[in-house]
Amino acid sequence: KEQDAKDIAMLFKEKLTGYNQLHKVKVKEDSNELFGSITLQNIVDKMKEDGHIIEKKHINLPLGSIKELGTYHANISLHPEVACEIEIIAQKSEHIEEST
């Protein structure tokens, strides 16, 4: 059974190879700082949308919630002996709201 679980984790790792997430976010005026942040839950939700079901406890954001534009890496533990990394990209949304 243990080997089966590891094999399933290895297959999932292969599916996630090269996988990245693009989050279009709003930023504060004249800065790279996000309104709010990209959290583990946001990442889990986006993965689910993309057809990858994973639990929040299996994802590790080494620097915590993402609060600025840029490219980040999240570690995903699929099995005690199998892990992979995905890329999280925080990109400025094209929709700029005018403040009055």
Side-chain angles (χ1 to χ4, degrees):
K1 275 193 164 194
E2 185 58 35
Q3 187 59 43
D4 286 347
K6 188 175 176 184
D7 290 345
I8 290 168
M10 290 298 285
L11 285 170
F12 198 52
K13 179 180 178 177
E14 284 178 29
K15 276 189 189 175
L16 290 176
T17 300
Y19 173 78
N20 60 35
Q21 288 187 354
L22 179 62
H23 290 263
K24 295 280 191 177
V25 292
K26 291 181 184 170
V27 292
K28 295 181 182 174
E29 204 171 316
D30 299 328
S31 79
N32 286 336
E33 203 175 322
L34 309 185
F35 275 116
S37 62
I38 298 171
T39 63
L40 288 176
Q41 190 60 54
N42 298 129
I43 293 166
V44 169
D45 292 345
K46 183 95 165 119
M47 287 187 84
K48 196 178 286 183
E49 281 176 34
D50 295 339
H52 303 293
I53 307 300
I54 197 148
E55 292 181 49
K56 191 160 65 170
K57 67 182 179 186
H58 294 135
I59 301 175
N60 175 32
L61 277 173
L63 303 173
S65 295
I66 297 169
K67 296 182 175 143
E68 289 191 350
L69 294 177
T71 301
Y72 300 86
H73 292 97
N75 301 313
I76 301 187
S77 301
L78 302 168
H79 179 275
E81 297 173 34
V82 181
C84 68
E85 202 172 74
I86 64 168
E87 206 172 64
I88 311 295
I89 303 163
Q91 194 176 74
K92 187 175 183 178
S93 174
E94 297 306 312
H95 300 292
I96 299 167
E97 293 181 14
E98 292 180 23
S99 52
T100 52

